[in-house]
Amino acid sequence: MTFTDSRQGPGTLTLGGTDFGVQATNVRLVPAVDETDGTPTLANPEPDPTTEAPKWTLEGTAIQDWSEPTGFIEYCRDNSGTSVAFAWVPNTDAGVTFSGNCVVKALEIGGDVASENTSDWSFRVVGQPSRVDA
């Protein structure tokens, strides 16, 4: 087996057809697996745990651009609660794209004085994300 150093950048992050990669300082797809104990019954008082398919989120950090009416912060505010298509290319040279649909949420605005403010975000992925290799 060989090892590939998979570093992010340069890449893209497209939400609803607009590339916000220039503002993203951190992007990741995060799975969450819910394991339950199952329901005990008279015939099977100790059932095997059941595992659901992972539920994914598209998460990251973005530099705030609250003065720009077409920037990431305003896009999220204007589209909060809306399911939009996303495509994330972690590194254009690697030829891998992760895509799907996610539900956008409004983000915090502001922060420390005299600092470059950022917003952390987490958008629920609808279904399972897909991977395409170029």
Side-chain angles (χ1 to χ4, degrees):
M1 175 154 97
T2 60
F3 171 75
T4 302
D5 184 359
S6 297
R7 294 177 193 237
Q8 286 201 64
T12 60
L13 174 64
T14 305
L15 293 174
T18 302
D19 183 9
F20 294 107
V22 71
Q23 292 176 250
T25 64
N26 176 314
V27 180
R28 60 198 175 278
L29 275 169
V30 180
V33 178
D34 183 22
E35 294 185 30
T36 61
D37 292 335
T39 302
T41 64
L42 183 60
N44 188 8
E46 296 181 15
D48 292 331
T50 58
T51 303
E52 297 179 11
K55 295 178 181 168
W56 292 85
T57 53
L58 179 66
E59 300 180 3
T61 303
I63 298 169
Q64 290 186 15
D65 60 343
W66 43 265
S67 63
E68 176 57 50
T70 60
F72 189 65
I73 294 289
E74 285 303 306
Y75 178 87
C76 293
R77 192 171 70 83
D78 291 343
N79 291 282
S80 186
T82 304
S83 176
V84 301
F86 76 86
W88 170 43
V89 178
N91 185 308
T92 53
D93 293 337
V96 177
T97 301
F98 297 94
S99 61
N101 287 295
C102 64
V103 179
V104 175
K105 292 192 289 188
L107 306 178
E108 66 181 336
I109 300 171
D112 294 332
V113 173
S115 296
E116 183 174 71
N117 292 305
T118 59
S119 292
D120 294 326
W121 48 271
S122 177
F123 302 151
R124 179 178 55 85
V125 173
V126 179
Q128 301 295 305
S130 62
R131 174 194 168 121
V132 176
D133 296 305

